[in-house]
C-alpha cells in the first residue's frame, strides 16, 4: 500500500505527515481506516479538512464509477472475439478466441499444438495492423515453417516480411523471466504497438523445473503469471493463448477419477489408460476455454497431411463443440 505524501492533498504538509507517522499512520489504508475524530486530534485539523483529505485520496486511487448503460455501450464497441482464421475452429468457438480471457491449447506430444499456434499468429496479423507476441519456451519456433506457409500462399517477399515482422518472438527459459516480461508489458516498459494476442508455447516446459519443490515456488510463480495475464487481457483488451501438455499413463491401477480413462482387457490383466492435463488442479479452471487436440486413429501413411480433432471445453469442463482441422504443407485449415 502506498505511503502518505504531501502530493495527495493540499492539507497534507510535511509536518502533518510526520505527526501521522508518529502515531503509526503510514499508508493510505492506515489513514482511511482510522477514526476521523482521532485524526483531527493528531493533526490539529478540523474534521472538514480530514474529510477533504480522504476524498482527495478516494478520487486518486478509487476505480471510476460507471453506470450500466455506459458499460453496455463500451462492450458493444469492443470486439468480443479474435478470429483464429481457421474457419471450422472459429465456428466451434462461436466466433473465435475470446478477447479478455486466457485460452488453453492442449494435447499429447505431436498433436499439432505449436502448428496451430503459429497458424493463428499468422492469420491474426495477415490482414490487419495487429501484433502478436509469441513467447517460445522450448526453442522450437520455426521461422522457416512460417515462411513455407506464406510461400504456399504465393505471397511476395515483401508481403511475407511484413507479416513476419508483426510476429514478435521472445525466448524465455524460466518462470521468473516470463513474469518479468509480462510485468514489463503491464508497466509499459515494453511497448508493443497494436498488441492483440500473446501466445505462450508452452507453460509446462517452464513449470516442470519446479515439480517436486517442497517450498511450492512453482505454484507461486504460476499464480503470479495468471494474475499478470488476466490484467493484460482486461486492461489491454487482448487474448492470451497458453499451450499445455496432456500426459498419458497406462497401468493396472485403479483409474484416477479426474482423468479420462480407457480400459483394455486380456485374459489375466485389466489395463487402464489415463490422460491428464498438466499444471495441476489450480490451473484446471483458469482458462475460459480449452482446445483439446487429438489425432484420430491413423488411416493413411501420408505424414504431410494430418487431420486433427479439436474439442472445445469450457471452464466447467463441459464439451461444447467439436471440429476437425487439417495440417499440411500450406498450414492449418
Amino acid at each position: 500500500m502506498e505511503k502518505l505524501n504531501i502530493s495527495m492533498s493540499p492539507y497534507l504538509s510535511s509536518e502533518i505527515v510526520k505527526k501521522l507517522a508518529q502515531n503509526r499512520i503510514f499508508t493510505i489504508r492506515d489513514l482511511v481506516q482510522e477514526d476521523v475524530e482521532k485524526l483531527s486530534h493528531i493533526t490539529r485539523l478540523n474534521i472538514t479538512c480530514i474529510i477533504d483529505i480522504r476524498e482527495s485520496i478516494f478520487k486518486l486511487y478509487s476505480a471510476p464509477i460507471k453506470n450500466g448503460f455506459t458499460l453496455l455501450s463500451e462492450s458493444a464497441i469492443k470486439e468480443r472475439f479474435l478470429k483464429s482464421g481457421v474457419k471450422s475452429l472459429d465456428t466451434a468457438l462461436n466466433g473465435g478466441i475470446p478477447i479478455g480471457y486466457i485460452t488453453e491449447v492442449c494435447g499429447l506430444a505431436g498433436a499439432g499444438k505449436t502448428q496451430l499456434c503459429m497458424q493463428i499468429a499468422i492469420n491474426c496479423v495477415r490482414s490487419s495492423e495487429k501484433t502478436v507476441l509469441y513467447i517460445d519456451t522450448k526453442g522450437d519456433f520455426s521461422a522457416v515453417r512460417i515462411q513455407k506457409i506464406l510461400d504456399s500462399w504465393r505471397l511476395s517477399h515483401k508481403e511475407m516480411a511484413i507479416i513476419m515482422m508483426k510476429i514478435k518472438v521472445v525466448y524465455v527459459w524460466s518462470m521468473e523471466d516470463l513474469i518479468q516480461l509480462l510485468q514489463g508489458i503491464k508497466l509499459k516498459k515494453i511497448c508493443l504497438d497494436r498488441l492483440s494476442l500473446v501466445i505462450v508455447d508452452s507453460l509446462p516446459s517452464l513449470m516442470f523445473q519446479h515439480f517436486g519443490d517442497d517450498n511450492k515456488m512453482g505454484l507461486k510463480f504460476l499464480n503470479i503469471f495468471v494474475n499478470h495475464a488476466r490484467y493484460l487481457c482486461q486492461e489491454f483488451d487482448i487474448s492470451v493463448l497458453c499451450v499445455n501438455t496432456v500426459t498419458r499413463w497406462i497401468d493396472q491401477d485403479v483409474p484416477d477419477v479426474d482423468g479420462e480413462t480407457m480400459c483394455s482387457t486380456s485374459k489375466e490383466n485389466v489395463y487402464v489408460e489415463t490422460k491428464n492435463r498438466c499444471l495441476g488442479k489450480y490451473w484446471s479452471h483458469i482458462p475460459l476455454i480449452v482446445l483439446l487436440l487429438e489425432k484420430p486413429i491413423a488411416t493413411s501413411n501420408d505424414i504431410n497431411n494430418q487431420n486433427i480433432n479439436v474439442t472445445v471445453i469450457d471452464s466447467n469442463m463441459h464439451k461444447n463443440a467439436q471440429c476437425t482441422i487439417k495440417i499440411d504443407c500450406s498450414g492449418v485449415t
Side-chain angles (χ1 to χ4, degrees):
M1 182 61 66
E2 189 170 345
K3 291 185 177 181
L4 295 170
N5 61 74
I6 60 175
S7 65
M8 295 177 179
S9 171
Y11 296 107
L12 280 177
S13 63
S14 299
E15 184 180 351
I16 296 294
V17 172
K18 185 177 179 181
K19 286 182 180 179
L20 291 170
Q22 289 172 348
N23 288 268
R24 297 186 178 183
I25 301 173
F26 303 102
T27 66
I28 295 171
R29 178 182 292 177
D30 296 336
L31 182 70
V32 298
Q33 289 182 342
E34 191 56 79
D35 182 71
V36 174
E37 291 185 0
K38 182 178 178 181
L39 291 174
S40 178
H41 177 73
I42 293 170
T43 60
R44 304 299 180 184
L45 296 173
N46 60 46
I47 292 179
T48 303
C49 294
I50 298 297
I51 293 174
D52 285 342
I53 293 172
R54 295 176 64 167
E55 287 182 351
S56 297
I57 291 173
F58 289 146
K59 287 180 182 178
L60 283 172
Y61 296 98
S62 296
I65 298 174
K66 294 183 179 180
N67 59 37
F69 180 76
T70 302
L71 291 172
L72 179 63
S73 300
E74 290 180 354
S75 63
I77 295 172
K78 291 181 179 179
E79 292 182 87
R80 295 179 57 200
F81 300 103
L82 183 68
K83 296 287 186 181
S84 71
V86 181
K87 188 175 180 180
S88 60
L89 182 58
D90 285 334
T91 300
L93 287 168
N94 291 322
I97 300 168
I99 293 174
Y101 299 95
I102 298 172
T103 300
E104 175 186 321
V105 175
C106 69
L108 292 168
K113 302 183 293 294
T114 297
Q115 294 279 349
L116 178 59
C117 287
M118 288 194 293
Q119 187 67 58
I120 291 173
I122 294 170
N123 294 343
C124 181
V125 303
R126 182 184 179 186
S127 301
S128 69
E129 296 300 318
K130 296 175 180 176
T131 301
V132 171
L133 175 62
Y134 198 109
I135 303 173
D136 183 8
T137 69
K138 303 176 296 179
D140 62 356
F141 178 86
S142 177
V144 174
R145 170 61 174 157
I146 288 183
Q147 186 176 2
K148 286 182 178 179
I149 292 172
L150 299 178
D151 191 49
S152 70
W153 296 350
R154 297 183 180 181
L155 299 180
S156 66
H157 289 293
K158 182 179 179 180
E159 290 172 323
M160 287 191 285
I162 291 172
I163 290 174
M164 296 180 74
M165 285 293 291
K166 288 187 284 189
I167 302 175
K168 311 296 182 181
V169 183
V170 178
Y171 295 95
V172 170
W173 310 115
S174 68
M175 286 299 294
E176 295 97 318
D177 292 340
L178 176 60
I179 290 168
Q180 187 176 3
L181 173 62
L182 297 186
Q183 191 170 21
I185 299 172
K186 174 182 176 180
L187 299 176
K188 299 184 179 179
K189 293 180 180 178
I190 300 173
C191 295
L192 296 169
D193 191 30
R194 296 184 178 88
L195 179 65
S196 61
L197 175 65
V198 175
I199 298 174
V200 183
D201 184 14
S202 69
L203 266 180
S205 298
L206 304 180
M207 287 297 297
F208 283 155
Q209 303 169 25
H210 300 281
F211 278 12
D213 289 353
D214 294 333
N215 55 7
K216 306 295 183 182
M217 285 300 294
L219 183 59
K220 173 186 173 182
F221 286 138
L222 187 60
N223 183 45
I224 295 172
F225 163 77
V226 169
N227 289 336
H228 284 325
R230 283 176 168 170
Y231 178 89
L232 294 181
C233 285
Q234 295 296 324
E235 296 299 320
F236 288 73
D237 215 22
I238 65 172
S239 300
V240 172
L241 192 64
C242 297
V243 174
N244 196 3
T245 302
V246 171
T247 57
R248 180 171 175 260
W249 304 85
I250 299 178
D251 52 37
Q252 292 179 258
D253 295 333
V254 177
D256 183 357
V257 294
D258 292 333
E260 297 180 8
T261 61
M262 297 176 60
C263 296
S264 60
T265 61
S266 66
K267 293 181 179 179
E268 298 180 355
N269 301 316
V270 176
Y271 294 96
V272 178
E273 178 184 12
T274 305
K275 295 179 181 179
N276 293 306
R277 291 161 56 207
C278 290
L279 301 178
K281 291 183 179 180
Y282 168 76
W283 173 263
S284 61
H285 295 284
I286 294 296
L288 179 70
I289 296 292
V290 176
L291 303 178
L292 176 61
L293 276 58
E294 297 176 296
K295 285 185 177 180
I297 298 174
T299 57
S300 172
N301 295 323
D302 185 5
I303 60 174
N304 296 318
N305 190 343
Q306 301 182 46
N307 289 327
I308 305 294
N309 295 328
V310 182
T311 303
V312 179
I313 304 171
D314 63 22
S315 57
N316 295 318
M317 298 298 104
H318 297 145
K319 297 180 180 180
N320 289 343
Q322 289 183 319
C323 68
T324 300
I325 60 177
K326 180 180 177 182
I327 301 177
D328 54 28
C329 58
S330 62
V332 180
T333 54

